[in-house]
Amino acid sequence: MIQDRGTIKWASMMLPEHLELLREYKQERTEQPKELTEWELEELQKTINQAFNQQLDIKLEVWKNYKITQWTGIIKSINTNDLILETLLKTKSIPIQSIQSAQLDADYYD
């Protein structure tokens, strides 16, 4: 069997900028979503319920593929595992466990 040095042999050919970018990329890929406290979960539930009951626009921050994505729309239905969010362009199913924050759209309060 051939004994290979792995990535060590390529280190001399890489620029310091490349190494730094690789370190940042690796850090981003290993990050996990923050754990929400019980108080934050209650606030999240309250905000989602209010938006659903009053059919208000809501902005959700969702953890997906090692990053936070934002969705804005109206919640059409909620079940135990996910909620259905209707945006301007399409309908999106979002797992409830991946929601990091929710806030009502500010246009309704102006």
Side-chain angles (χ1 to χ4, degrees):
M1 182 170 189
I2 297 175
Q3 292 282 332
D4 191 12
R5 294 179 295 162
T7 58
I8 296 173
K9 64 184 173 190
W10 299 105
S12 63
M13 297 174 63
M14 292 187 152
L15 295 173
E17 295 85 10
H18 294 152
L19 293 173
E20 182 62 32
L21 288 173
L22 285 172
R23 280 189 208 106
E24 288 175 11
Y25 176 75
K26 186 176 181 182
Q27 170 110 17
E28 287 175 5
R29 297 293 290 187
T30 58
E31 288 181 4
Q32 296 296 319
K34 69 173 187 167
E35 287 288 324
L36 299 177
T37 64
E38 188 174 329
W39 182 81
E40 290 172 323
L41 288 171
E42 287 177 13
E43 286 294 316
L44 184 66
Q45 180 182 4
K46 189 169 92 174
T47 303
I48 289 173
N49 285 337
Q50 180 181 1
F52 177 66
N53 292 333
Q54 298 177 5
Q55 289 297 291
L56 300 174
D57 273 348
I58 189 168
K59 182 167 68 172
L60 299 173
E61 290 187 351
V62 180
W63 177 260
K64 183 178 181 184
N65 297 333
Y66 302 101
K67 63 181 178 180
I68 298 285
T69 55
Q70 293 185 350
W71 293 95
T72 302
I74 296 174
I75 300 173
K76 290 298 176 186
S77 69
I78 302 174
N79 63 30
T80 56
N81 296 326
D82 58 336
L83 59 85
I84 306 298
L85 185 73
E86 186 174 283
T87 63
L88 292 175
L89 301 175
K90 62 182 177 178
T91 302
K92 178 80 176 156
S93 176
I94 300 174
I96 291 178
Q97 296 81 8
S98 64
I99 297 174
Q100 292 293 302
S101 71
Q103 58 186 5
L104 298 175
D105 195 1
D107 291 340
Y108 287 99
Y109 298 109
D110 291 339

